[in-house]
Amino acid sequence: MKSIKKTARILGVLLLIQFIIGISINQFLLGPIIFASDFLTNVSANATQVILSVLLGLMGSAVSVGIAVMLLPVFKQYHKEIAIWYLAFSIIGFTISVIDNIGVLSVLSLSQEYVKATDTDYFQTLGTILYAIRWWTHYLDMLIACFALPVFYYVFYTSKLIPRFISVWGLAGIALMLTGILLTIFDQGTHDTEMILLLPLGLNRLFLAIWLMVKGFNSHQIAPQTV
C-alpha cells in the first residue's frame, strides 16, 4: 500500500514538472521567439533562451516516458495490453520530440549564420524550409500525445484510481486539443484559438497533479496485487 501511495505522489510531482515545462517553453521561452515573423533574427538574438527551451523540452519528453514506465506495473493490473500501448506511444512521442528539438537547434544555427550574411536570400529560403519541418514535427508530436493521453485517462477511468470526473475532464480536454491541432493543420484556426482549446487539458493536468500529491490514488480501488 505504501508503495502505490508513493507512486501516486511521484506521479503528481512529475505531472506538475511537465506542466511547468510546457508553459515555460510555449509561453515564455521558445514560443514568442520561433513563431514570430522575424524568427531568423530573433532566434539568434535569444540563443541561450532557445537552448534552454530545447533542454527543457527533452526533459519534459523524458518525464513522459518515465511516467509510462512507472505506471506500467500499475496499469497492467487493469489493462495489460493498453498499458503497453501507453508506454509505446510515450516512446514514440519522445523520439518525435528529439527530432523536433533538433529542428529548433537547426533553426538556431541557421539564424546565427543569417545575421552574419550579406546576401540573405539563400538563408531566408532555407529558413522557410527548416521552419516548415520544425512546424510539422511539433504538431506531429502533439498528435501523438492525442493517442497516448486517451489511454492514460481511459485506464484511470475504468480503474477508478482517481475520481472519474477528472478522467472525463481529461478526455474532453483531449478532444478539444485534437480539434485545435486539426484546425491549425488545415489552416482553419488561429494560434489564439488553439491556445483556448488547449486550456481545459492544461488545467486538468495541473489539477490532477495537485490531486495526486495531496490525495493519492483511491485506496479502495487499488488492485490486490499492489497491496
Side-chain angles (χ1 to χ4, degrees):
M1 183 68 72
K2 288 183 179 179
S3 176
I4 198 70
K5 287 183 177 179
K6 183 178 179 181
T7 297
R9 302 297 193 275
I10 294 174
L11 175 59
V13 171
L14 293 178
L15 289 174
L16 182 60
I17 291 173
Q18 273 192 324
F19 178 84
I20 294 172
I21 287 176
I23 292 294
S24 299
I25 293 174
N26 295 312
Q27 300 300 320
F28 302 107
L29 293 175
L30 186 63
I33 296 171
I34 203 163
F35 289 122
S37 57
D38 55 345
F39 72 94
L40 276 179
T41 302
N42 280 344
V43 170
S44 177
N46 297 276
T48 301
Q49 197 169 315
V50 171
I51 293 172
L52 177 59
S53 73
V54 167
L55 295 175
L56 287 175
L58 293 173
M59 182 187 302
S61 297
V63 168
S64 295
V65 177
I67 288 174
V69 171
M70 183 178 65
L71 288 177
L72 184 62
V74 179
F75 280 8
K76 282 175 69 175
Q77 294 172 30
Y78 300 93
H79 299 281
K80 183 177 180 180
E81 294 80 8
I82 293 179
I84 296 173
W85 274 110
Y86 177 56
L87 176 60
F89 280 128
S90 299
I91 294 173
I92 293 171
F94 175 78
T95 303
I96 296 175
S97 177
V98 170
I99 298 172
D100 180 26
N101 282 287
I102 290 174
V104 173
L105 293 176
S106 298
V107 173
L108 172 59
S109 297
L110 180 67
S111 175
Q112 291 171 333
E113 294 300 319
Y114 171 80
V115 296
K116 295 185 293 184
T118 54
D119 183 5
T120 60
D121 290 344
Y122 167 78
F123 290 96
Q124 289 175 343
T125 301
L126 190 56
T128 300
I129 296 171
L130 287 180
Y131 180 89
I133 293 173
R134 194 272 159 177
W135 190 92
W136 280 108
T137 54
H138 174 70
Y139 279 97
L140 181 58
D141 187 20
M142 294 180 69
L143 282 173
I144 291 297
C146 289
F147 287 96
L149 288 175
V151 177
F152 176 89
Y153 285 105
Y154 172 77
V155 177
F156 274 126
Y157 179 85
T158 56
S159 66
K160 300 181 184 178
L161 286 171
I162 60 174
R164 279 188 161 179
F165 82 89
I166 300 178
S167 300
V168 173
W169 175 8
L171 290 168
I174 295 166
L176 292 174
M177 172 182 171
L178 180 59
T179 300
I181 293 170
L182 293 177
L183 286 174
T184 301
I185 288 176
F186 289 103
D187 200 24
Q188 299 297 315
T190 65
H191 181 68
D192 290 340
T193 300
E194 182 185 334
M195 289 299 101
I196 292 172
L197 292 175
L198 285 172
L199 183 60
L201 182 60
L203 293 176
N204 173 270
R205 303 291 279 180
L206 177 60
F207 183 88
L208 176 57
I210 296 172
W211 179 278
L212 289 171
M213 287 189 291
V214 175
K215 296 286 190 177
F217 290 140
N218 183 353
S219 59
H220 298 295
Q221 301 298 331
I222 296 173
Q225 292 90 331
T226 63
V227 177

